[in-house]
Amino acid sequence: MFIHKGVAVIKVEPIPAFNDNYIWIIEDGRYACIVDPGQKDPIIDYLTKRRLQLKSILITHHHHDHTGAVLDLVELTGAHVYGPMNAIIQGIDTYVQEDDLVSLAPLDLVLRVLEVPGHTLDHVAYVGEMSNGQTIAFCGDTLFSCGSGRLFEGNSTQMLQSLDKFKKMSQNTLLYCAHEYTLSNIRWALAVEPNNIDLQHWEREAVCLREQALPTVPTTLEQELKTNPFLRVGEQTVQQAAQAYAGHVLSSRAEVFSVLREWKNHF
């Protein structure tokens, strides 16, 4: 995926890691930034083959599959590390919080920080507004295609508020999720909304991509608003499905979200 900002051309690519992680690399053919480096070897392979200089690292939250390679990469490259305010994460040079701007110089890209607690309390996302009107968002484990991160530390209200921040973005926003969970998420989403035509179409497309060993992400906000139950808690079809699962009336969006989360956890 190539993103234009002024005269520069920036490439964003996934580096597969572990069983289903995606480490995102932002590069311009010479310099690079890594998002959530959980595993060193695939990153080093990518950098070496393309003769890239790693200049910066972005961390979304403290889980080891997103941070495990930070210290090794810093020792090898001297990269500058940005991350949330959590002392558990080793190697951070600059702590970030809501609305901070992160300049990835010498890459021609500036990202804005969003605090998006829920999956963890320290979770942040990095959002870029491009000159062509397109938005990109590195959302870690907060938002997946047809899904959302488990609530390991936060609660449903916090996660709903975090997802609402994404919903305010332009619909062509590219969402760079950190895991390949799409097919399993779609199966659950179809249990919630079996008659959702957009969701049925996305299932066919996603199956085709995975059969070719291609990633299903980035996804777009427009697609997620049509297919992701966690972003559709205000839709009557989703509310009715959640109430049927719970066996009682749900009186708020947060209650609907909480039931959906419990449903997905046990699906």
Side-chain angles (χ1 to χ4, degrees):
M1 178 66 62
F2 287 93
I3 299 167
H4 296 262
K5 184 177 185 296
V7 297
V9 178
I10 294 174
K11 183 181 182 182
V12 182
E13 292 288 344
I15 300 175
F18 303 112
N19 294 324
D20 52 35
N21 281 68
Y22 286 131
I23 300 166
W24 293 105
I25 184 164
I26 311 165
E27 53 110 332
D28 65 358
R30 182 176 179 182
Y31 303 109
C33 171
I34 287 288
V35 183
D36 284 348
Q39 194 173 26
K40 179 185 71 173
D41 289 347
I43 296 171
I44 296 301
D45 287 346
Y46 190 104
L47 295 171
T48 302
K49 288 176 181 178
R50 292 158 181 81
R51 299 181 180 179
L52 297 170
Q53 298 180 48
L54 182 63
K55 289 294 186 178
S56 52
I57 296 171
L58 304 178
I59 302 299
T60 62
H61 64 292
H62 68 267
H63 285 164
H64 185 72
D65 63 321
H66 295 252
T67 62
V70 170
L71 294 181
D72 286 339
L73 290 172
V74 169
E75 182 178 358
L76 288 169
T77 69
H80 190 95
V81 182
Y82 301 87
M85 295 185 177
N86 189 335
I88 293 175
I89 308 172
Q90 297 183 341
I92 293 180
D93 298 298
T94 301
Y95 290 98
V96 297
Q97 56 189 337
E98 184 81 7
D99 285 334
D100 281 352
L101 296 179
V102 176
S103 175
L104 299 183
L107 289 170
D108 186 19
L109 184 64
V110 177
L111 301 176
R112 180 169 59 93
V113 177
L114 292 181
E115 293 180 356
V116 286
H119 179 65
T120 63
L121 294 179
D122 65 346
H123 207 302
V124 298
Y126 300 89
V127 182
E129 301 291 340
M130 310 309 294
S131 60
N132 64 359
Q134 183 178 70
T135 305
I136 59 172
F138 298 95
C139 45
D141 286 358
T142 297
L143 182 58
F144 301 122
S145 179
C146 292
S148 179
R150 286 177 178 262
L151 302 178
F152 289 118
E153 296 174 9
N155 57 46
S156 294
T157 298
Q158 288 174 313
M159 183 62 96
L160 188 58
Q161 291 171 344
S162 294
L163 293 178
D164 283 343
K165 292 184 179 182
F166 289 104
K167 290 175 70 172
K168 293 176 182 178
M169 299 177 188
S170 61
Q171 291 201 12
N172 72 341
T173 298
L174 292 174
L175 301 168
Y176 290 89
C177 317
H179 289 272
E180 183 57 69
Y181 289 162
T182 303
L183 290 182
S184 61
N185 286 344
I186 288 175
R187 286 192 290 271
W188 167 74
L190 281 169
V192 179
E193 290 190 284
N195 298 318
N196 185 325
I197 301 300
D198 293 306
L199 188 53
Q200 294 169 6
H201 175 78
W202 178 217
E203 181 185 37
R204 292 191 293 271
E205 184 179 343
V207 167
C208 183
L209 288 169
R210 295 309 295 154
E211 286 177 346
Q212 301 174 71
L214 296 174
T216 60
V217 289
T219 181
T220 66
L221 179 60
E222 179 180 16
Q223 177 162 273
E224 294 309 302
L225 291 173
K226 294 176 180 178
T227 61
N228 191 330
F230 289 116
L231 295 184
R232 293 172 56 80
V233 294
E235 297 295 324
Q236 186 176 17
T237 51
V238 175
Q239 292 173 351
Q240 290 174 342
Q243 289 179 155
Y245 181 85
H248 58 81
V249 174
L250 304 173
S251 59
S252 69
R253 292 170 69 245
E255 287 185 4
V256 173
F257 184 94
S258 182
V259 169
L260 291 174
R261 183 66 266 170
E262 187 71 12
W263 187 353
K264 180 64 172 65
N265 289 348
H266 295 93
F267 187 76

